[in-house]
């Protein structure tokens, strides 16, 4: 199937959509054999913009790298006209490196004697204006608002003498006479522009004034706002409001509401900090605004619950309007129950009716109009249940996997170990469950990229027109490599295309 023609989903008669045939598309920053990955190069955030024409990644080194779609630009975005041109027809979205900038630097909190990493936790695109791109990026403590825009940089020729005339007139010093005395105009030899510079009466024909020789267009990233000193704990989420003017930021115990144009104050709308910290039983793990209703947002907790709140009800939203949680089966409680129940990520569907959550073991799809239980539950790590003790020993059980939905809401996806990611059919009776490995992609065609620093994400770019089949998952989990994990991924907003991060490499698949 082809998802490049607008993301239309073929459906079987009176049933769920047909399973998609996923293929490898591109990879940026792929490692060569034996190359060691630097910690600062590991990708920590991925985000498509609303149009899907731009993609941003953040890494642990505090850098933001932007990619732009090229197949629309090269072919005018009209697939019917492609048949009349000499260009090869693009069957899937193709991206190329656009620019990068250093968003955050390592800091030190002297009051708390605490190092603040430069790692980018989240990136969120804002509304574009006048051809400029706007986005928010955050590390553990500080949020920044960036504007990326093309600027024309003019090159000026230096003032100098023409070589052909310089020999006849001597050098500038022989023509420009310096004197400490006032000139005598009566002798007719010189006129004066100042007390110190004397010029011949006829001027200096060989002296050229500076002129603009050329102008180049460069992408310039400028930080417009810095939102700091509002969180005592690590920021885990930022989310734009549909009003285009405000956004929220969430840490373990509080959610703050900001205006994009005001950086020195925010409003605390959720506070779950108890009077006595010994009474603390759960923390906030993720928060997101409703895509269409500017007064509605949801946040998840470490106890596996999701709260929907309405900003119209009260200034401090300490009471939720709806609570989504699934009660555990009697007798199934164990030492690991609360750990694996913690929700690491939530995402609203594009129309705002469905909400997807990811805990360690499962993906759950919720209907916000039905709080009795999830509409669908997708088993991701059920085969790891016998190994929870090992996962706890090596801290893997605390890994925070992200999740995403397709633009049409028909499918959901999340990552796993061994750089695997899984795609499930979101339909209630769908049995679609595809597993792909980000790193094993045959028939690659190497593409040259502009020379960039060795730390760069896109120092090596490989692309391929068609990919082969991907290996399946070992059902018993024995083949899993817990040192390689696919935590971050994003679904293109209008087409069946997924971008996912495996260490420092950005892989893209299409269907």
């Amino acid at each position: 199937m082809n998802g490049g023609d607008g993301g239309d989903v073929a459906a079987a008669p009176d049933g769920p959509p047909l399973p998609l045939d996923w293929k490898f598309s591109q990879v940026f920053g792929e490692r060569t054999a034996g190359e060691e990955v630097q910690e600062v190069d590991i990708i920590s955030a991925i985000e498509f913009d609303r149009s899907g024409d731009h993609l941003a990644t953040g890494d642990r080194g505090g850098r933001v790298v932007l990619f732009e779609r090229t197949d629309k630009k090269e072919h005018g975005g009209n697939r019917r006209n492609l048949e009349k041109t000499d260009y090869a027809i693009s069957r899937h979205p193709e991206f190329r490196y656009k620019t990068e900038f250093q968003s955050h630097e390592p800091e030190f909190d002297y009051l708390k004697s605490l190092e603040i990493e430069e790692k980018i936790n989240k990136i969120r695109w804002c509304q574009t204006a006048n051809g400029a791109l706007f986005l928010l990026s955050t590390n553990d403590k500080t949020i920044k608002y960036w504007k990326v825009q093309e600027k024309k940089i003019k090159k000026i020729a230096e003032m100098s003498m023409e070589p052909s005339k310089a020999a006849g007139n001597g050098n500038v010093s022989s023509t420009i006479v310096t004197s400490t005395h006032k000139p005598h105009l009566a002798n007719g030899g010189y006129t004066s522009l100042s007390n110190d510079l004397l010029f011949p009466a006829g001027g200096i024909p060989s002296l050229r004034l500076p002129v603009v020789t050329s102008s180049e267009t460069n992408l310039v990233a400028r930080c417009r706002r810095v939102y700091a000193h509002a969180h005592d704990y690590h920021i885990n989420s930022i989310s734009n409001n549909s009003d285009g003017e405000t956004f929220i930021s969430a840490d373990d115990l509080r959610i703050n509401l900001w205006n994009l144009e005001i950086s020195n104050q925010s409003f605390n709308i959720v506070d779950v900090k108890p009077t006595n910290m010994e009474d603390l039983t759960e923390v906030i793990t993720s928060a997101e605004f409703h895509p269409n209703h500017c007064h509605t947002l949801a946040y998840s907790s470490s106890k596996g619950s999701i709260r929907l709140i309405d900003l119209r009800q009260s200034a401090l939203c300490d009471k939720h309007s709806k609570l989504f949680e699934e009660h555990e089966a009697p007798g199934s409680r164990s030492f690991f129950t609360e750990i694996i129940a913690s929700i690491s990520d939530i995402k609203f569907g594009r129309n705002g009716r469905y909400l997807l959550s990811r805990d360690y073991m499962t993906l759950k799809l919720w209907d916000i109009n039905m709080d009795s239980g999830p509409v669908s539950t997708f088993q991701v790590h059920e085969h790891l249940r016998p190994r929870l003790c090992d996962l706890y020993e090596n801290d893997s059980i605390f890994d925070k996997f992200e999740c995403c939905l397709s633009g049409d809401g028909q499918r959901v996806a999340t990552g796993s170990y061994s750089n695997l990611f899984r795609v499930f059919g979101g339909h209630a009776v769908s049995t679609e469950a595809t597993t792909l490995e980000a790193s094993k992609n045959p028939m690659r065609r190497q593409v040259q990229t502009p020379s960039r620093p060795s730390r760069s994400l896109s120092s090596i770019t490989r692309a391929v027109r068609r990919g082969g089949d991907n290996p399946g998952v070992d059902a018993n989990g024995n083949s899993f490599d817990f040192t390689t994990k696919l935590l971050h991924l994003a679904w293109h907003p209008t087409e069946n295309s997924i971008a996912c991060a495996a260490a420092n490499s950005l892989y893209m698949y299409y269907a």
Side-chain angles (χ1 to χ4, degrees), residues 177 179 181-183 191-199:
V177 180
S179 172
H181 303 285
K182 293 183 178 180
T191 57
S192 176
L193 296 179
S194 71
N195 289 341
D196 296 327
L197 297 178
L198 302 178
F199 293 90

Side-chain angles (χ1 to χ4, degrees), residues 415-436:
S416 182
Y417 295 103
S418 298
N419 289 337
L420 298 175
F421 68 97
R422 306 197 68 189
V423 181
F424 300 91
H427 196 282
V429 295
S430 175
T431 58
E432 179 179 356
T434 306
T435 302
L436 301 100

Side-chain angles (χ1 to χ4, degrees), residues 98-164:
K98 185 177 180 73
T99 188
E100 73 176 51
F101 55 90
Q102 189 71 33
S103 175
H104 287 72
E105 300 282 356
E107 301 173 50
F108 189 81
D109 187 336
Y110 293 96
L111 294 176
K112 298 181 179 180
S113 297
L114 184 68
E115 290 185 8
I116 303 173
E117 291 183 326
E118 65 270 36
K119 172 191 169 188
I120 305 296
N121 290 340
K122 295 289 181 181
I123 295 174
R124 290 292 181 265
W125 289 91
C126 303
Q127 294 179 350
T128 58
N130 299 324
L133 303 174
F134 296 87
L135 51 88
L136 291 166
S137 62
T138 184
N139 65 352
D140 285 340
K141 294 291 184 180
T142 306
I143 307 160
K144 294 186 179 182
Y145 183 40
W146 291 92
K147 178 181 181 180
V148 182
Q149 189 176 29
E150 289 187 346
K151 293 278 188 181
K152 284 189 176 181
I153 301 176
K154 296 179 179 179
K155 289 190 174 181
I156 309 298
E158 295 181 0
M159 184 171 68
S160 62
M161 296 188 65
E162 298 178 20
S164 60

Side-chain angles (χ1 to χ4, degrees), residues 21-24 435-437 440-443 467-472:
D21 179 21
W22 290 93
K23 294 182 175 64
F24 169 75
T435 302
L436 301 100
E437 180 176 357
K440 291 189 176 179
N441 309 291
M443 300 173 61
D469 295 332
N470 290 276

Side-chain angles (χ1 to χ4, degrees), residues 338-353:
E338 286 194 10
I339 300 175
I340 62 177
S342 177
I343 295 176
S344 56
D345 190 27
I346 59 172
K347 290 284 191 333
F348 274 103
R350 199 171 186 185
N351 63 3
R353 177 172 177 180

